[in-house]
Every structure is written in structure tokens, then in C-alpha cells.
Amino acid sequence: MPNLTRRTFGLLAGAGASTLAMPYYARAQGKPRAVVIGGGAGGATAARYMAKDAGEDLDVTLIEANPKYTTCFFSNLYLGGYRDFNSITHGYDTLASNYGISIVNGMADAVDRDAREVVMADGSKVPYDRLIVAPGIDLIYDSVEGYSEEAAEIMPHAWKAGPQTQLLKAKLDAIENGQQIVMVTPPNPYRCPPGPYERASMMAHVLKEKGFTDAKIIIIDPKPNFSKQALFTEGWEKHYPGMIEWYGPDVHGGILSVSADSGEVETDFDTFRGDLVNVIPAQKAGMIAARTGLTNDTGFCPIDPKSMRSAADENIFVIGDASIAGDMPKSGFSANSQAKVAAMAVRGDLVGSKVFPAKYSNTCWSLIETNDGVKVGAQYAPTDEKIASTSKFISQTGEDAALRQATYEESVGWYKGITADIFGA
Ligand SMILES: Cc1cc2nc3c(=O)[nH]c(=O)nc-3n(C[C@H](O)[C@H](O)[C@H](O)COP(=O)(O)OP(=O)(O)OC[C@H]3O[C@@H](n4cnc5c(N)ncnc54)[C@H](O)[C@@H]3O)c2cc1C
């Protein structure tokens, strides 16, 4: 795994400058080829924007492991009973039929950077002129002693949406009054900073709806504080008094281990037993990123803040959760925003279209209880160092019910809009 220093990045950027200065990428034969690995919030957006904006001038291929994509965003609302599973699951047919994108359904196993080929798990090869890598995250199971892929079948993480989310929902629906849910939340950086706390809210909502107000949710957090903490804490006291307890490291003293057999979470302070245990371990960029030599020792991928171009390879871009995106959180909104910057840069490289200065934005909504939505967001711009926040906003404690309802309704509109932007309407 290369450890990229600023100097290495500078050299790479400099080395790339001569070829990148070419106004038009002329191939000896055929159209230039843009390939994307990962058909999630980032990758599918990038493929759609490249195909939509370059039209016939560019050959766009999207490689995705799964035939359908279930969004992590709004998966907490599925847990809470506000959405059904189908409504958060999307296919790739429109990207193929309306935008002419070639969909390769399979796992990318390696990238031959010299030959500029993606090597698929079945041995087939997908050649590229520019590659966008958008594999999302992989879970570091052994970051929590005793946790593993097998243990996740008993203590679901549900941090990649799909069967894990359905398993967590089934286990939540089986909880009875007086029983206890224990959540182990991840250390920074991880996808969706407010996600674990929205999840606790949605689980409490399900229990409260059934009148199970003697059931408890214990959150064991490796972090001393968390996203939108004042807003969640206020909401939990208002809607779910006595049902949610949050323990930071100064209380539990450290998460020592979990046991899928006994349903226990051992900390320095005490051992907590859960009738349902939700363990969300630490995270790193999806496997293909490290295998391609795009990560540094953080486990994520350094990029050029102006374009999302990889610091390790001028022909590759990294977007979404796998990238080190400065002040931007790992969110679907961020991935979608970064995808448009990378798609524009790829078109600039390959078909000579104009590249405008990069701008990025993000908003993360969370639902605390029915019609009680809160949000946090920012605008961002690239500096020489990183993608830096230029202006921020956050919901306030004590807001009136009408504003909170409007915030929730805004998030519903956002979901409809962003999924159309990602997968085509
Ligand atoms: C519970 C929860 C709630 C969330 N809520 C929100 C929210 O409200 N708003 C928000 O903006 N974000 C939210 N997020 C975060 C959001 O889901 C992620 O940040 C976003 O999905 C990242 O997009 P991505 O494209 O980087 O990765 P993903 O969306 O994970 O896409 C990666 C894709 O790559 C594919 N893939 C990976 N490796 C390979 C390979 N080698 N070959 C082929 N395919 C591959 C995967 O199958 C996957 O489809 C939430 C996350 C969670 C867990």
C-alpha cells in the first residue's frame, strides 16, 4: 500500500500535467472509454452524468457487483416502518436504456494500472482510458474483538444496506417489552455520521408504537461526542423518555469485546447484554481501492480536491465514501456531489469539454420521530490542502413542530430527487 506524501502527490500531479493538458483525448480506434467501479450513490451518478453530458462521444461502462442497489439512506426509515424495502431498492435498467451505459454485473477483482484494465473476478477484462473508483466502504470486522462476518449474522451491522438491513428489522420487530437493544457505534471516520443516532431513534419509535416503553436501547460509543448530539438528545428526552441511554468512553472506559453466543458487549466499566445487539465496526475504503494501490495508511484514498483525481494515478478518480474528502462527511449526498465533479473532469480529459471550478455540497437529514426531522449541511470548495467547508447550517434545538415537519418533508423530496439523479428517472 503506497504511503502518499504531499511530495509524491506533487510529483504525480506534475507528471500528469503534460498529458492532461491535451485538449482532446484522441484514441487510435473507437471512442474513449470511461469505466466506473461501483454503482452506488457516487458511481452510478458519475456514469449517468458522463453518459448524459458526453453523449455519443464517450463509451461509459458501469461495473457493479449486485443486480440491484438498496440505499443506506432511508434504510433507517425502513427500520422505523416509514418505508417498505422495495421503495429503497433501485435497478440499473434506466441507466442502460436511456443513457446507453454498459452495465457489467460482477465483482471487479483488480486493476492493472499499466495496461489500464479492470480485471473482473471471472477473469474477464474491462479496458479504460479513465477509471472512476466508487466502491464505498468495507467493514473492519476485527476492529471489535469477537466480531466477524459470521457474528454479523447474529449481531447485524446493517451498515451496507440489503439482507443485513432486513435481518436487523426482523430482530427489531421481535423485541418485547422490557427487553434491551445494545448498539456499538463506530469510531471516526465512518459513513453517515448521524446514521447510528437516527437508527436508535427509529428503533425507539417502533418500540414506543407498540407501547413497549420499558424496552431500552443502550448506545456504547467509542467517541466522546457525535453528530447533531444536542438535537438527538433533546428529541430522545421529548419522545422516548428513559428509553435511550448513550455511554461515551468516559463512562464505559473502552469497548473490550462482543460475544455473538451470549449477546454480550464487554466494556471496561460493565458487561451489557442485549436481546438484539447491533455492532457497527470501524470502516475503510472498499477492497478494490487498496488492491489498486489508491489508499494511504488511513485506509481511504487521497484525492486532488479540485477534481477527485486519485493522488496515486492520474487516470483514476476516487469518489464517495472511499475518498478522503476533507471536510465533507461520508454521505450519499456528498458522493453524488463529488461524482459530478469527477464526471466533468473525465469529460475534460477524454472529450475536451470545458471543466468548471469544483463546488461541492452536502445535507444530512435525520428523522427523530414522526414529522420531527433535523438536518445539518454545508457548501464546500477545494483549497490546495483539502475540500474545505465554506458555509454551514444546522437545525436548532427548540424549533417548532411546523419547521421540524417541513424539514422531514424536505428529506422525502430529497430522496425522490437524488435517487432519480443517481439512477435516472
Ligand atoms: C444507516 C445509514 C443511513 C444513511 N443515511 C444517509 C442519509 O440520510 N443521507 C446521505 O446522504 N447518506 C446517508 N448514508 C450514507 C450513504 O449511504 C453513503 O455515504 C453512500 O452510499 C456512499 O456512496 P458510495 O457511492 O461511496 O458507496 P455505495 O453507495 O456503498 O456504493 C458502492 C457500490 O460499489 C459496489 N462495489 C464495491 N466494490 C465493488 C467491486 N469490487 N466490484 C463491483 N462493485 C463493487 C457495491 O456493491 C455498491 O453498490 C447512510 C448510511 C447508512 C449506513
Side-chain angles (χ1 to χ4, degrees), residues 389-411:
S389 158
T390 53
S391 65
K392 303 178 189 179
F393 56 88
I394 185 165
S395 297
Q396 300 299 301
T397 53
E399 282 172 345
D400 66 35
L403 179 54
R404 290 297 178 84
Q405 178 169 350
T407 304
Y408 169 62
E409 283 164 4
E410 197 178 86
S411 76

Side-chain angles (χ1 to χ4, degrees), residues 4-87:
L4 291 163
T5 59
R6 273 190 62 73
R7 183 174 146 67
T8 320
F9 180 73
L11 288 173
L12 284 164
S18 55
T19 44
L20 296 177
M22 285 194 304
Y24 187 88
Y25 187 96
R27 286 188 59 78
Q29 288 179 333
K31 292 189 242 179
R33 291 167 300 203
V35 174
V36 182
I37 299 177
T45 307
R48 192 174 88 85
Y49 271 74
M50 289 191 295
K52 174 172 80 65
D53 295 338
E56 293 295 310
D57 294 341
L58 193 60
D59 192 60
V60 179
T61 300
L62 177 62
I63 299 171
E64 167 54 46
N66 297 308
K68 290 207 166 188
Y69 176 82
T70 303
T71 58
C72 284
F73 29 110
F74 274 35
S75 68
N76 285 329
L77 274 66
Y78 158 72
L79 283 182
Y82 295 92
R83 306 284 295 215
D84 66 28
F85 196 71
N86 277 343
S87 76

Side-chain angles (χ1 to χ4, degrees), residues 331-351:
S331 76
F333 198 132
S334 296
N336 171 266
S337 178
Q338 294 156 13
K340 293 169 192 175
V341 170
M344 182 170 59
V346 169
R347 286 192 301 111
D349 282 7
L350 297 183
V351 300

Side-chain angles (χ1 to χ4, degrees), residues 197 200-201 204 215-219 236 240-246:
Y197 315 98
S201 311
K216 262 206 172 4
I217 301 169
I218 308 278
I219 304 171
W236 294 343
Y240 314 115
M243 290 180 72
I244 301 178
E245 288 173 18
W246 177 81

